[in-house]
């Protein structure tokens, strides 16, 4: 995907150096993070799979986000993002994952969950899962998604670095 090559290449190089396979779990980005990574030649030595979990049912069935978390906190929440990222480690032969879930807009916003709100989580075997909550604002669907890809790649890069 245009504009993400340098950051995606950096993620892949760090993962390759640490012998890490990764997975993405994406809702509002619909596979854009995986696409940014797999646009780079040689990415198959690092990218194992991508889960597009747009619906609550997909989040539950594919990566084990509990229905209770979805009912209590909703899909756009820290607990859901954390379960998505951690679920990838359990449902794929990977040691690193990133999850993104949010409201790209237009529409879908509520009083407590505004348009442009996105939750991210990055999980790595043997480390604490990291979470970020960003309110990009009502910048338009394309811009919220673009910024979400950048944030996801940055989190992968940071988590792929040696401790």
């Amino acid at each position: 995907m245009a504009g993400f090559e340098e950051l995606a290449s950096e993620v892949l190089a760090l993962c390759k150096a640490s012998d890490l396979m990764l997975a993405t779990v994406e809702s509002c980005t619909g596979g854009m993070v995986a696409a940014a990574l797999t646009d780079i030649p040689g990415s198959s030595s690092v990218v194992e799979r991508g889960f597009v979990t747009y619906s609550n049912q997909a989040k539950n069935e594919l990566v084990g986000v509990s229905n209770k978390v979805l009912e209590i906190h909703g899909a756009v929440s820290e607990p859901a993002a954390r379960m998505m990222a951690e679920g990838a480690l359990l449902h794929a032969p990977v040691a690193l994952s990133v999850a993104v879930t949010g409201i790209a807009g237009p529409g879908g916003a509520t009083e407590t969950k505004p348009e442009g709100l996105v939750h991210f989580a990055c999980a790595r075997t043997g480390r604490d899962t990291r979470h970020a909550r960003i309110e990009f604002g009502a910048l338009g669907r394309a811009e919220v998604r673009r910024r979400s890809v950048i944030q996801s790649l940055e989190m992968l890069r940071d988590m792929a670095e040696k401790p």
Side-chain angles (χ1 to χ4, degrees):
M1 298 189 70
F4 305 120
E5 294 88 354
E6 186 176 325
L7 190 51
S9 293
E10 193 176 349
V11 169
L12 295 173
L14 285 166
C15 287
K16 194 175 279 192
S18 296
D19 198 29
L20 290 172
M21 293 296 288
L22 71 82
T24 64
V25 187
E26 304 180 62
S27 187
C28 66
T29 49
M32 292 173 67
V33 178
L37 291 164
T38 58
D39 274 352
I40 309 297
S43 59
S44 61
S45 65
V46 170
V47 179
E48 204 286 329
R49 70 184 69 177
F51 298 95
V52 176
T53 58
Y54 213 65
S55 70
N56 285 354
Q57 183 175 347
K59 287 172 184 66
N60 175 260
E61 291 177 359
L62 298 177
V63 292
V65 177
S66 77
N67 287 323
K68 187 171 189 167
V69 162
L70 294 169
E71 289 169 18
I72 294 170
H73 301 284
V76 180
S77 66
E78 179 176 351
R82 286 180 178 275
M83 286 192 85
M84 289 165 68
E86 292 166 359
L89 300 185
L90 299 173
H91 291 85
V94 299
L96 178 65
S97 69
V98 68
V100 56
T101 181
I103 302 167
T110 67
E111 192 172 305
T112 58
K113 295 182 182 182
E115 183 178 333
L117 171 64
V118 184
H119 283 271
F120 303 87
C122 194
R124 181 172 171 181
T125 303
R127 294 195 188 169
D128 291 337
T129 300
R130 295 182 185 166
H131 168 262
R133 177 190 191 277
I134 300 178
E135 287 190 41
F136 293 112
L139 303 175
R141 185 173 188 79
E143 185 62 14
V144 170
R145 287 164 46 109
R146 186 187 75 77
R147 290 184 186 197
S148 293
V149 172
I150 292 168
Q151 175 67 26
S152 297
L153 292 171
E154 288 175 345
M155 290 180 79
L156 282 169
R157 178 197 61 205
D158 295 347
M159 193 69 99
E161 291 177 339
K162 297 192 187 232

